[in-house]
Amino acid sequence: MDDKILHTLEYQKVLNTLSQYTQTSMGKARAEQLKPSVQLENVKHLLAATDQACTIDRLKGSPSFGGITDNTDSLKRARIGGTLNPHELLAIANTINGSRRLKRFITHIHEDESVDILFNLSELISEQKPLEDAIKACIDESAEVMDSASPELAQIRRDLRNGEARIREKLDGMIRSQSVSKMLQDQLITIRGDRFVIPVKAEYRSYFGGIVHDQSGSGATLFIEPESIVSMNNKLRETRMKEEREIEVILQKLTALVAEQCDLIRDDIDITGQLDFIFAKARLAHSMKASLPRMNDRGYLKLKKARHPLIPTDKVVPTDVELGNSYTSIIVTGPNTGGKTVTLKTIGLLNLMAMSGLFIPAEDGSQMCVFDAIYADIGDEQSIEQSLSTFSSHMTNIIRILNHMTPKSLVLLDEVGAGTDPAEGSALAIAILEHIHRMECRMIATTHYSELKAYAYERKGVINASMEFDINTLSPTYRLLVGVPGRSNAFAIAERLGLPGKILDFARGEVTEEDQRVEHMIASLEENRHAAEVERSKAENLRRELDELRSRHERELAKLEEQRDKYVEKARLDAKQIVDKARREAEEIIADLRKLAQEEGASVKEHKLIAARKRLDEAEPEQKRKTAARRSAKQEDRRSIEPGDEVMVYSLNQKGHVVELAGSKEALVQLGILKMKVSMDDLELVSGSASSKKTQAQRHVTTLKRTRDENIRNELDLRGANLEEALIEVDRFMDEAFLGNLGQVSIIHGKGTGVLRTGIQDYLRKHRHVKSYRLGNYGEGGAGVTIVELK
């Protein structure tokens, strides 16, 4: 893209605003060097990345780029063998840390909301955690090499501290003695040139000997290193030199580690700069209240309520423009100060922004085109930059445009043909516009010449437009009216300002009849437009009312659904209470049966079982009985239940086999070791019976024997069940085992997490028929099996 057009449309000012939203120097450099792309797929990718950054900014806010800096120069020196100082090493460690935090932030967002472009980019960050740890193990946050950087350095610094302590102790003893204290200017110890000294009055210089390192401005005080500590200061100096050499060794080792990862770190810096730049575009979009435009490469533009990004929001007038569908050229006519130039710049600048991957300050649904180039000849006394131009410079610029434009270019011409004789200028303007139109370029041109109104009216693919002018206030509204040519409004303005009527009538008489017809036609178009806008306003009001009605309906529907969910939940809780009550009563009945079995010894009389069954029927929830009745009605069309059939007893939630039919309404059903009469309404056929099942079911048993039965299981496998289901099965299994007179049973629960084993053993600890229990031995299943001894 030509730099001249970028300057003309003030593109760099947008980039300057964008750079203010970056957090790193790398991101700022990218923002300042941003150029529009002429590749449609590339533009779509850039806009998609900005859109994903906007999504993250809306959901979680923008990520922090704190600590990330451009360490490129330090990496170059490390690569060629230079030694990095602690500040440079710490900056590299902080950059690695910041890059890793940024990567994790985007990864966390991507788990909930797809931001694949940013995620794939962040995945390229190498995360040099070992290098960061190595640096921070040696250098603290103040960029000082720590004692723990090496054992040698730790020992050297201990020697330093001990040496300083001995020197201070020696000097403290001197300055506290009465004979010496009177010779001192102040009773304190100070340092000059890394050597400990004391402030001595000048007249006592000969008393101390030693070395004079400094004196006060007046000369009355000498800073003397007493002879008694010269050797100690010398040794301390040697130790400090050892410290410097050891620090240099440590820094060299860390620099070597950085050099090994130099390329990866440089790539990480580049990636974080890209991410900072993308999130800056998202923050710019938020500040401008901008939206994502749809992009195409077929020369189609559609702007809805577009605003110039450099004009304050409270002052800018939105513009609606469509170009490239029914017409490819727009000729905007009308007086000065109407906003024609700003409209041209808005269209051009917003297209450049979209081609750069930036959102545009316009409403959703706006469309922009990826042109191979945008050309503009804008510049007169009305331009935003106040840059003046002559006819010759205009023509020079237009000639350059004509030589370089293609059918895929956008051409913006302001005051085409101006600056010369009106007759020649209008003819020249028509010729230039006709040439550009024939080239099938997309073009928007502004002019004062009324001749161009007729040109636009006669040419297919060219349409008139004007900037609206309010006659009542004598001021422009800055609204672009496509389809309506501009009026001069000179007579109307003069009349409102008080020009005598005779003069106005004479002036109107000088206007040709053809020009008057054109003015009347334009006035008629404006009246029709106003009428259409009124109708459109009514339609918009109706649409809003319909939207409100629909929203109200949706809210009421949501409220009804919420109430329905509450009622369903209440019904579920009520049903749970009924079932819990029935379960408690059933457990009481089973407990009574066990008690009867213990008291009566070998058998329980049939009439007692019937009485217990009646209690179970009475404990059955009303809702369940109704459900069973409905279920029975549905089964009327199925074949009748016969002896030997497998059936489901719904009141007990158990399967059994029909032994015999007791009339038309009841059946004797075998349930494990129990036989009981069950209502036919409480039964549902599961499957047809085999002859072997029918034969087995025909055995008639009228009493409950507490004897060993071959069909009783001595092993229960609960693997894969949850604890609640397992306890129900264990309770049923223990009843069967007790009534079957088993002495020992096995419960297989598996090892797993131990939750199932613990819950089952807690239940067995309280069971009345359990004598003892233990985990299985080797060969019995080990910790995955519990062996239970029954009483």
Side-chain angles (χ1 to χ4, degrees):
M1 194 68 66
D2 189 357
D3 288 339
K4 178 177 176 57
I5 186 64
L6 301 182
H7 174 75
T8 300
L9 297 178
E10 301 173 297
Y11 177 76
Q12 191 60 44
K13 290 185 177 181
V14 176
L15 300 189
N16 292 340
T17 304
L18 173 62
S19 66
Q20 295 174 9
Y21 290 100
T22 60
Q23 300 184 49
T24 66
S25 59
M26 302 85 71
K28 184 175 183 180
R30 285 180 173 274
E32 292 174 345
Q33 297 168 10
L34 179 62
K35 297 290 184 183
S37 172
V38 295
Q39 301 296 326
L40 177 62
E41 292 305 317
N42 186 42
V43 171
K44 287 183 176 180
H45 179 79
L46 294 174
L47 287 170
T50 305
D51 187 39
Q52 292 181 10
C54 288
T55 299
I56 292 178
D57 187 59
R58 184 181 70 254
L59 295 177
K60 299 290 185 179
S62 294
S64 171
F65 289 81
I68 300 176
T69 55
D70 187 0
N71 310 116
T72 305
D73 293 339
S74 299
L75 295 174
K76 288 180 180 177
R77 288 202 296 110
R79 178 188 287 276
I80 62 176
T83 302
L84 303 183
N85 60 47
H87 289 279
E88 293 173 308
L89 291 168
L90 182 61
I92 291 173
N94 288 337
T95 297
I96 294 172
N97 179 268
S99 301
R100 186 174 65 257
R101 285 188 287 105
L102 177 63
K103 178 177 181 179
R104 292 180 179 177
F105 175 84
I106 296 176
T107 301
H108 177 70
I109 296 291
H110 185 64
E111 294 173 355
D112 301 325
E113 186 79 20
S114 177
V115 286
D116 56 315
I117 296 176
L118 302 184
F119 173 75
N120 293 336
L121 188 59
S122 68
E123 281 295 292
L124 299 176
I125 296 175
S126 61
E127 291 195 69
Q128 299 293 323
K129 187 70 165 59
L131 176 57
E132 177 194 347
D133 293 340
I135 294 174
K136 291 195 172 182
C138 299
I139 300 173
D140 61 19
E141 293 300 326
S142 301
E144 298 291 338
V145 180
M146 296 185 290
D147 295 358
S148 57
S150 72
E152 292 79 5
L153 183 61
Q155 181 60 49
I156 291 171
R157 288 187 171 169
R158 280 195 295 271
D159 293 343
L160 275 175
R161 288 189 288 271
N162 292 336
E164 290 177 356
R166 285 193 296 270
I167 293 174
R168 286 184 178 277
E169 184 179 356
K170 180 79 171 176
L171 292 177
D172 279 341
M174 292 177 62
I175 64 178
R176 285 177 183 161
S177 67
Q178 294 181 354
S179 58
V180 174
S181 61
K182 64 181 181 180
M183 303 179 189
L184 302 178
Q185 198 72 36
D186 293 298
Q187 290 187 342
L188 55 85
I189 301 171
T190 185
I191 296 176
R192 289 291 186 276
D194 292 335
R195 300 181 76 88
F196 286 89
V197 296
I198 55 177
V200 179
K201 296 177 181 178
E203 57 267 28
Y204 297 106
R205 163 69 185 87
S206 59
Y207 177 82
F208 282 92
I211 304 171
V212 177
H213 288 279
D214 198 2
Q215 68 177 4
S216 64
S218 63
T221 303
L222 301 177
F223 294 93
I224 297 177
E225 177 184 0
E227 189 174 357
S228 58
I229 65 164
V230 169
S231 60
M232 298 173 68
N233 265 332
N234 290 340
K235 186 175 181 181
L236 194 62
R237 176 60 180 163
E238 292 174 1
T239 307
R240 287 198 180 99
M241 293 174 64
K242 289 181 181 179
E243 179 190 28
E244 292 174 0
R245 287 194 296 270
E246 182 60 26
I247 289 175
E248 185 69 17
V249 170
I250 294 169
L251 296 180
Q252 288 175 353
K253 290 180 179 179
L254 293 176
T255 302
L257 295 177
V258 171
E260 293 176 1
Q261 308 298 332
C262 188
D263 293 336
L264 291 176
I265 299 172
R266 188 173 58 248
D267 291 342
D268 292 348
I269 293 172
D270 183 64
I271 293 168
T272 53
Q274 291 184 54
L275 290 170
D276 179 30
F277 166 63
I278 293 171
F279 279 102
K281 292 195 291 183
R283 288 188 287 271
L284 177 66
H286 178 75
S287 69
M288 288 184 174
K289 297 180 181 178
S291 64
L292 172 66
R294 293 168 54 191
M295 301 303 298
N296 65 82
D297 59 355
R298 54 188 178 87
Y300 180 65
L301 291 177
K302 185 176 183 180
L303 290 173
K304 297 181 177 180
K305 306 297 182 185
R307 309 179 307 275
H308 195 290
L310 302 179
I311 300 177
T313 307
D314 58 340
K315 295 181 180 180
V316 68
V317 177
T319 301
D320 292 317
V321 181
E322 185 173 0
L323 178 68
N325 194 6
S326 301
Y327 44 85
T328 59
S329 300
I330 299 176
I331 308 299
V332 186
T333 54
N336 289 331
T337 70
K340 299 190 300 295
T341 303
V342 173
T343 300
L344 283 184
K345 287 194 172 185
T346 300
I347 296 169
L349 181 56
L350 265 54
N351 215 96
L352 290 175
M353 290 174 62
M355 292 169 64
S356 302
L358 299 173
F359 281 18
I360 60 173
E363 288 187 355
D364 291 335
S366 296
Q367 295 193 48
M368 304 300 286
C369 175
V370 177
F371 294 103
D372 62 359
I374 298 177
Y375 298 103
D377 178 51
I378 301 174
D380 57 18
E381 65 277 8
Q382 300 178 62
S383 69
I384 293 176
E385 288 296 327
Q386 296 295 313
S387 58
L388 302 179
S389 178
T390 63
F391 174 74
S392 59
S393 64
H394 272 291
M395 292 310 302
T396 301
N397 195 24
I398 290 174
I399 292 170
R400 184 180 63 84
I401 293 173
L402 297 177
N403 290 333
H404 292 90
M405 67 183 186
T406 70
K408 292 187 176 181
S409 300
L410 173 64
V411 179
L412 305 173
L413 301 177
D414 188 29
E415 301 297 348
V416 59
T420 186
D421 179 75
E424 294 181 355
S426 60
L428 191 59
I430 292 174
I432 293 171
L433 298 181
E434 178 65 15
H435 177 75
I436 296 174
H437 180 63
R438 287 181 178 178
M439 282 282 294
E440 298 184 350
C441 295
R442 300 301 182 260
M443 175 181 63
I444 303 176
T446 69
T447 181
H448 285 295
Y449 299 132
S450 59
E451 290 84 356
L452 269 69
K453 301 175 188 177
Y455 165 76
Y457 182 76
E458 295 170 352
R459 284 319 249 167
K460 183 180 179 180
V462 183
I463 192 169
N464 274 303
S466 61
M467 305 305 297
E468 187 179 48
F469 190 87
D470 191 339
I471 298 296
N472 296 322
T473 61
L474 301 180
S475 61
T477 65
Y478 303 104
R479 290 179 57 202
L480 179 67
L481 304 178
V482 178
V484 180
R487 298 173 60 190
S488 65
N489 297 308
F491 294 155
I493 295 173
E495 185 177 11
R496 288 293 304 273
L497 294 176
L499 187 68
K502 292 181 179 180
I503 298 177
L504 283 171
D505 292 339
F506 183 83
R508 290 190 179 101
E510 293 298 312
V511 178
T512 65
E513 184 177 348
E514 181 180 354
D515 290 337
Q516 289 181 3
R517 285 200 304 270
V518 170
E519 287 294 320
H520 290 313
M521 178 191 70
I522 295 173
S524 177
L525 286 173
E526 288 188 353
E527 290 177 3
N528 292 335
R529 180 185 59 79
H530 282 299
E533 287 188 350
V534 170
E535 293 299 323
R536 185 180 65 180
S537 178
K538 291 180 180 179
E540 285 291 327
N541 292 334
L542 288 175
R543 184 185 62 79
R544 282 195 294 270
E545 290 177 4
L546 288 175
D547 289 342
E548 290 176 2
L549 288 174
R550 183 179 62 184
S551 300
R552 188 183 310 131
H553 171 72
E554 290 175 351
R555 289 194 298 270
E556 291 176 355
L557 181 61
K559 184 178 180 180
L560 288 175
E561 290 179 350
E562 183 180 356
Q563 290 176 348
R564 181 199 63 189
D565 293 340
K566 289 181 179 178
Y567 290 144
V568 170
E569 179 65 15
K570 184 177 183 300
R572 188 187 67 79
L573 294 175
D574 292 343
K576 184 176 183 301
Q577 292 175 357
I578 294 172
V579 171
D580 291 343
K581 179 182 177 183
R583 183 180 291 115
R584 288 194 300 270
E585 295 183 7
E587 289 175 353
E588 291 175 3
I589 294 169
I590 293 173
D592 291 344
L593 282 175
R594 289 172 178 164
K595 185 176 180 182
L596 284 172
Q598 291 177 345
E599 292 175 353
E600 308 254 347
S603 65
V604 177
K605 300 300 182 182
E606 181 70 18
H607 73 279
K608 294 182 178 180
L609 285 174
I610 293 172
R613 171 62 188 158
K614 185 177 181 181
R615 290 177 60 196
L616 280 173
D617 290 340
E618 293 173 351
E620 180 183 14
E622 181 67 22
Q623 184 64 27
K624 187 176 289 185
R625 288 200 292 271
K626 292 180 181 179
T627 303
R630 288 195 298 269
R631 187 184 305 114
S632 177
K634 292 180 181 178
Q635 293 177 350
E636 288 181 358
D637 60 336
R638 303 180 187 174
R639 72 174 181 82
S640 60
I641 296 175
E642 298 177 356
D645 289 341
E646 184 179 5
V647 293
M648 168 63 76
V649 182
Y650 276 97
S651 61
L652 300 178
N653 194 26
Q654 283 194 342
K655 292 181 181 179
H657 292 85
V658 177
V659 176
E660 62 182 21
L661 300 178
S664 61
K665 295 185 178 180
E666 289 186 330
L668 186 63
V669 180
Q670 177 85 36
L671 298 170
I673 61 172
L674 289 176
K675 289 184 179 179
M676 60 175 59
K677 288 183 179 180
V678 182
S679 172
M680 296 292 283
D681 292 340
D682 198 23
L683 299 179
E684 182 179 358
L685 184 65
V686 175
S687 62
S689 61
S691 59
S692 60
K693 293 181 180 178
K694 188 176 294 186
T695 302
Q696 179 185 2
Q698 294 298 326
R699 289 184 301 185
H700 183 68
V701 181
T702 58
T703 58
L704 174 62
K705 301 288 185 179
R706 191 182 176 199
T707 58
R708 180 66 179 269
D709 191 295
E710 293 180 355
N711 294 326
I712 298 176
R713 300 172 295 168
N714 63 357
E715 183 180 274
L716 176 63
D717 191 348
L718 297 174
R719 288 174 291 183
N722 60 43
L723 182 57
E724 183 178 0
E725 296 172 345
L727 293 179
I728 294 173
E729 291 296 321
V730 170
D731 183 75
R732 185 181 297 116
F733 176 67
M734 296 302 295
D735 289 340
E736 292 177 0
F738 178 77
L739 294 175
N741 201 26
L742 297 180
Q744 176 178 297
V745 293
S746 302
I747 299 176
I748 304 173
H749 43 65
K751 298 178 181 179
T753 61
V755 173
L756 193 58
R757 179 181 68 245
T758 303
I760 291 172
Q761 291 183 354
D762 289 341
Y763 172 83
L764 294 175
R765 187 180 300 113
K766 303 173 183 177
H767 201 284
R768 67 178 70 180
H769 299 310
V770 175
K771 181 179 181 181
S772 64
Y773 63 89
R774 61 177 174 80
L775 292 176
N777 295 322
Y778 180 80
E780 292 180 329
V785 177
T786 296
I787 308 299
V788 184
E789 295 288 336
L790 300 178
K791 295 180 181 179

